[in-house]
Amino acid sequence: WAKADGRNRWALYDPRRSEAEVARYAISASMPAGLERGEFYLEYQPITALEDGTMRGLEALVRWRHPTFGAMRPDDFIGIAEDTGLIVPLGRWVLEQACREAQAWAALTERPPFVSVNVAARQAADPALVDEVRAVLEQTGLPPQRLQLELTESALMGPAPIETLRALADLGCRIAIDDFGTGYSNLAYLRSLPVKSLKLASLFVAGLQPLPGPGGELETDDTDAQIVATLVSLARTLRLTVTAEGIETSTQVERLREIGCHLGQGWLFGTPMPPDEVRKLLLG
Ligand code: C2E
Ligand code: MG
Ligand code: MG
Ligand code: MG
């Protein structure tokens, strides 16, 4: 490692730099131009009511059509964007694009779905986020009730100042906890946060097994179902709406419905799709 030997050399030609490091550098270096050239775009994944199967919202998921690396998934670049701070301009673009596209849905259907936008810890740490969200809502005309902001537990428990969260909630948008169950939530603190909904990490959903038959002959490990039931009951006590992530099978839907989970998201209901397909879907 160039830096560990104390000479502080970060030049690209240094043979000791790992390939991964070079790739990280190349990705972060091409991000600002990519933003300017319109290489980023959003896909939307349905969020469906488990009781009646109607679509209530869509999560905006960012993608990057990179000129040399090709199609890139968020896992390839979001972490790098967070480390370099580029997540701030990227996140601003995502927020604005998602609100603009979601506003247009109102012309297509009587009950337009909400849009759910991921907000990185670093964005939430910046008090300017509140003014940005307010300005974007004004510019796009999206009613604040139709905007949900997803923050992870670690962002909520750490970098996001409570004042920022309160101000965002005061604007009228909804704050959701993303990937709930994978971090360390301080329940006493969680209770005091202006959070309205909770997204249950796909990890727990993946472990949901079919119920034993009438004879009880099927031997299944029901630990995950018990965890989900406990989390849903906790959420209900805190008056939070629960969305289960990563639903891939009808068995999972049945179990989640019987547990009393409100909403679901996953390949079973729909994979992330381009805005054109969302419009078609809404036009019926
Ligand atoms: P996430 O917010 O938890 O989003 C859900 C991820 O699960 C998405 O991956 C989605 O495509 C995937 N998924 C949905 N249904 C299923 C399913 O049934 N099975 C499985 N195995 N996976 C499913 P994606 O699009 O690759 O995004 C990964 C993560 O990147 C997101 O996780 C989110 O943390 C982050 N991300 C995406 N877009 C943004 C963004 O605009 N800003 C920020 N800060 N982070 C973003
Ligand atoms: Mg999310
Ligand atoms: Mg999630
Ligand atoms: Mg995630």
Side-chain angles (χ1 to χ4, degrees):
W1 281 58
K3 204 158 190 177
D5 69 10
R7 275 184 289 158
N8 232 0
R9 287 171 50 212
W10 282 105
L12 253 177
Y13 54 79
D14 190 326
R16 285 166 302 180
R17 279 185 62 156
S18 73
E19 258 176 63
E21 225 174 275
V22 174
R24 282 178 69 84
Y25 176 78
I27 288 168
S28 65
S30 56
M31 209 173 280
L35 261 177
E36 252 169 50
R37 287 197 293 249
E39 293 168 5
F40 291 88
Y41 63 101
L42 299 180
E43 288 192 331
Y44 295 91
Q45 186 177 33
I47 299 174
T48 303
L50 295 184
E51 55 168 14
D52 60 7
T54 58
M55 182 172 74
R56 301 297 171 88
L58 295 122
E59 177 174 6
L61 296 159
V62 70
R63 275 89 180 88
W64 187 1
R65 218 178 278 112
H66 194 280
T68 47
F69 302 135
M72 290 213 288
R73 310 292 310 247
D75 290 338
D76 301 328
F77 60 86
I78 288 290
I80 298 172
E82 292 215 41
D83 294 346
T84 55
L86 289 165
I87 192 70
V88 174
L90 177 62
R92 197 181 297 131
W93 179 84
V94 168
L95 179 72
E96 199 185 327
Q97 182 75 357
C99 290
R100 195 181 311 121
E101 290 180 327
Q103 202 285 328
W105 299 337
L108 309 175
T109 175
E110 245 169 61
R111 287 212 193 105
F114 66 86
V115 68
S116 200
V117 177
N118 292 286
V119 175
R122 191 131 172 188
Q123 286 175 273
D126 183 356
L129 178 69
V130 180
D131 287 330
E132 269 174 39
V133 172
R134 188 187 295 112
V136 165
L137 289 170
E138 274 171 19
Q139 281 158 25
T140 61
L142 182 74
Q145 301 75 21
R146 284 185 48 220
L147 176 63
Q148 171 166 280
L149 301 171
E150 300 190 9
L151 284 87
T152 60
E153 280 170 90
S154 47
L156 286 167
M157 295 301 143
I162 180 85
E163 296 75 20
T164 300
L165 300 173
R166 292 220 177 94
L168 289 171
D170 286 345
L171 290 179
C173 43
R174 193 161 19 151
I175 298 172
I177 311 181
D178 202 358
D179 303 332
F180 187 78
T182 61
Y184 302 90
S185 271
N186 173 340
L187 288 181
Y189 184 56
L190 179 62
R191 209 170 136 261
S192 71
L193 294 179
V195 164
K196 289 267 180 58
S197 91
L198 186 155
K199 298 190 75 176
L200 210 52
S202 50
L203 164 84
F204 303 112
V205 177
L208 293 179
Q209 314 269 352
L211 273 178
E217 64 283 350
L218 206 62
E219 284 265 330
T220 57
D221 176 2
D222 224 29
T223 312
D224 280 326
Q226 284 161 32
I227 293 175
V228 172
T230 306
L231 293 178
V232 169
S233 128
L234 169 74
R236 286 188 172 272
T237 306
L238 295 171
R239 295 180 199 292
L240 305 176
T241 303
V242 192
T243 306
E245 296 191 76
I247 302 182
E248 295 179 1
T249 70
S250 47
T251 297
Q252 291 166 344
V253 174
E254 278 161 34
R255 304 259 6 225
L256 287 163
R257 205 183 278 136
E258 125 211 317
I259 285 168
C261 182
H262 309 98
L263 299 164
Q265 181 179 348
W267 296 340
L268 184 78
F269 297 118
T271 51
M273 58 186 136
D276 268 2
E277 273 182 51
V278 177
R279 279 193 288 272
K280 276 186 215 148
L281 199 69
L282 292 175
L283 284 170

